[in-house]
Amino acid sequence: MRISDLSRRSGVSVTTIKYYLREGLLPPGRQTAATQAEYDDQHLRRLRLIRALTGVRGLSVSTTREVLDALGEHAGDTHTLLGLALGSVRVGEEPAGDAPEAGEVRALVEELGWDVHESAPARATLAETLSTLRSLGVPVDRHTLLPYARLAERTAELDLGQLDGIADPLEAAERALLLTVLLEPALMALRRLAQENESARRHAN
Amino acid sequence: MRISDLSRRSGVSVTTIKYYLREGLLPPGRQTAATQAEYDDQHLRRLRLIRALTGVRGLSVSTTREVLDALGEHAGDTHTLLGLALGSVRVGEEPAGDAPEAGEVRALVEELGWDVHESAPARATLAETLSTLRSLGVPVDRHTLLPYARLAERTAELDLGQLDGIADPLEAAERALLLTVLLEPALMALRRLAQENESARRHAN
């Protein structure tokens, strides 16, 4: 397809596509004339992934390039691909500082028997939340979180199940990213509605 | 207790407490001298709730006053109290516009058999998310959301269970608000870690 078709099908402007080509985020098309090149579905998939990484995860162009390079190096390894797309596997440095509650999170992960990277940013998020709640006089420890974590396991099974049947690993990485990040407000909204329903069940006449 | 003790125990500055007193958010203390008043635990609990409504929910002072007034009118009705604190029961006008996916959300709620207000803002959030995902080429309908909603029911049981044993209804409302809003990042972090673990289970060697 021509660059204009690539733009139409991806929803990314021709100007931005040319910028990605210049920056090396997108490999060049097959030159068919002095000022014309042909692009294929591989370009389209990569463009969608770039859009998800920059738009949904908010990565800079240079970090996006690092993630894409790392994805290329782990092409056959779906687990690492998903980790890179979702941010649990970091590229570059970005060392995670140890929050005061990091030990509590480590103990929780151990108790759950979960196989997760030491550098996963979600660990820090968890530790920060525990610390915030403590400072507001609502102490929440790993014993409180444990049943929530068991429900999260079942949520994750649903999430990963939605990637079944997607053969292309880059497409799976993009889909995982979109579903993970964009479903968050929906899942939180479901929790609020469910709370209201549960409150009605318990307290309403 | 004196106003300085109320400040120390609530973490709210004396200046802000005086502002809440002037604005009628906090009832006056018992005057003990020309320039001195005594405050009690009821003031402390109310102050914590004000802090949660303005800080965590981000309400304006005037909306906070409306919510507090409404709470006073429904003192014996825990279900309405929780709804007011969490925002599923609105005060004032704020009519919810109908998003294109509102019908899909209504069908989902019906299928679940949930008892939730027609005006609950979470309905709109849910409809907006469905619409965003659709525009990005990831159609998610109510059949996809249904198993997530069933897990949300169990999460809500855990949430409401944490309020057991809190006798004071204003304290329960504040706790519900803090746990609902502040636990959100923790629950999303647990989902990400669980996804990583599930991905390892499925794809890693």
Side-chain angles (χ1 to χ4, degrees):
Chain A
M1 70 189 96
R2 313 253 300 257
I3 195 165
S4 53
D5 301 313
L6 186 61
S7 167
R8 192 178 39 75
R9 289 183 57 190
S10 64
V12 178
S13 73
V14 171
T15 315
T16 303
I17 293 176
K18 285 183 173 167
Y19 172 63
Y20 291 158
L21 287 165
R22 274 201 310 280
E23 292 289 322
L25 267 64
L26 206 59
R30 192 172 50 81
Q31 210 70 24
T32 53
T35 60
Q36 221 169 76
E38 268 290 303
Y39 300 88
D40 58 20
D41 280 352
Q42 196 62 32
H43 285 94
L44 185 61
R45 276 196 289 266
R46 196 169 167 102
L47 204 45
R48 286 193 172 133
L49 180 56
I50 293 169
R51 192 178 52 168
L53 289 169
T54 56
V56 178
R57 266 189 65 199
L59 298 185
S60 69
V61 165
S62 70
T63 307
T64 300
R65 184 174 29 228
E66 282 178 42
V67 171
L68 291 169
D69 289 349
L71 286 168
E73 283 163 27
H74 297 90
D77 175 359
T78 306
H79 176 53
T80 302
L81 284 183
L82 293 181
L84 284 163
L86 296 173
S88 59
V89 181
R90 304 275 191 111
V91 296
E93 353 62 60
E94 296 185 72
D98 245 23
E101 265 82 3
E104 188 73 6
V105 172
R106 195 168 298 119
L108 173 67
V109 168
E110 229 159 77
E111 195 164 340
L112 288 161
W114 283 359
D115 182 2
V116 292
H117 283 83
E118 198 57 48
S119 67
R123 286 181 185 256
T125 306
L126 214 44
E128 279 158 28
T129 306
L130 292 182
S131 160
T132 303
L133 282 166
R134 181 166 322 215
S135 75
L136 289 171
V138 189
V140 168
D141 61 11
R142 69 174 188 280
H143 306 293
T144 312
L145 287 182
L146 194 72
Y148 286 105
R150 292 296 176 204
L151 292 174
E153 281 178 345
R154 299 190 42 199
T155 305
E157 282 171 33
L158 294 175
D159 292 331
L160 275 281
Q162 295 202 53
L163 307 179
D164 288 346
I166 302 181
D168 183 86
L170 288 192
E171 198 176 335
E174 184 233 356
R175 182 66 61 96
L177 181 52
L178 288 181
L179 284 174
T180 297
V181 177
L182 297 182
L183 267 188
E184 286 189 350
L187 298 185
M188 292 301 92
L190 284 174
R191 176 176 173 234
R192 301 237 180 161
L193 293 174
Q195 285 176 336
E196 188 182 344
N197 176 60
E198 176 68 13
S199 166
R201 226 177 50 78
R202 289 183 177 225
H203 304 295
N205 319 321
Chain B
M1 71 190 95
R2 313 255 298 260
I3 195 165
S4 54
D5 301 313
L6 186 61
S7 168
R8 194 178 39 75
R9 289 182 59 189
S10 65
V12 177
S13 73
V14 170
T15 315
T16 304
I17 294 176
K18 286 184 173 167
Y19 172 63
Y20 291 158
L21 286 165
R22 272 200 311 279
E23 292 290 322
L25 267 65
L26 206 58
R30 191 172 51 80
Q31 209 73 23
T32 54
T35 61
Q36 221 170 75
E38 268 290 305
Y39 300 89
D40 58 22
D41 280 353
Q42 196 63 30
H43 285 94
L44 185 61
R45 276 196 289 265
R46 195 168 167 105
L47 202 46
R48 287 194 171 132
L49 180 58
I50 293 170
R51 192 177 55 168
L53 290 168
T54 56
V56 177
R57 267 189 65 198
L59 298 185
S60 69
V61 165
S62 70
T63 308
T64 300
R65 184 177 26 230
E66 282 177 44
V67 170
L68 290 170
D69 289 349
L71 286 169
E73 284 162 27
H74 296 89
D77 174 0
T78 305
H79 177 52
T80 302
L81 284 182
L82 293 181
L84 284 163
L86 295 172
S88 58
V89 180
R90 304 274 191 112
V91 295
E93 352 66 59
E94 299 184 71
D98 245 22
E101 264 82 4
E104 188 73 6
V105 173
R106 195 167 298 117
L108 173 67
V109 168
E110 228 158 78
E111 196 164 340
L112 287 161
W114 283 359
D115 181 3
V116 293
H117 282 84
E118 198 57 48
S119 67
R123 286 182 185 255
T125 306
L126 214 45
E128 278 159 27
T129 306
L130 293 182
S131 161
T132 304
L133 282 166
R134 181 167 320 215
S135 74
L136 289 170
V138 189
V140 168
D141 62 11
R142 70 174 188 279
H143 306 293
T144 312
L145 286 182
L146 193 71
Y148 285 104
R150 291 297 177 204
L151 291 174
E153 281 178 346
R154 300 191 39 200
T155 304
E157 282 171 34
L158 293 176
D159 292 331
L160 275 278
Q162 295 201 53
L163 306 180
D164 287 346
I166 301 181
D168 184 85
L170 288 191
E171 197 177 337
E174 184 234 359
R175 182 66 62 95
L177 180 53
L178 288 181
L179 283 174
T180 297
V181 178
L182 297 181
L183 266 188
E184 286 189 351
L187 298 184
M188 293 301 92
L190 284 174
R191 175 175 173 234
R192 301 236 180 161
L193 294 173
Q195 284 176 337
E196 190 183 343
N197 176 61
E198 177 69 12
S199 166
R201 227 176 49 80
R202 287 182 177 225
H203 304 296
N205 318 318

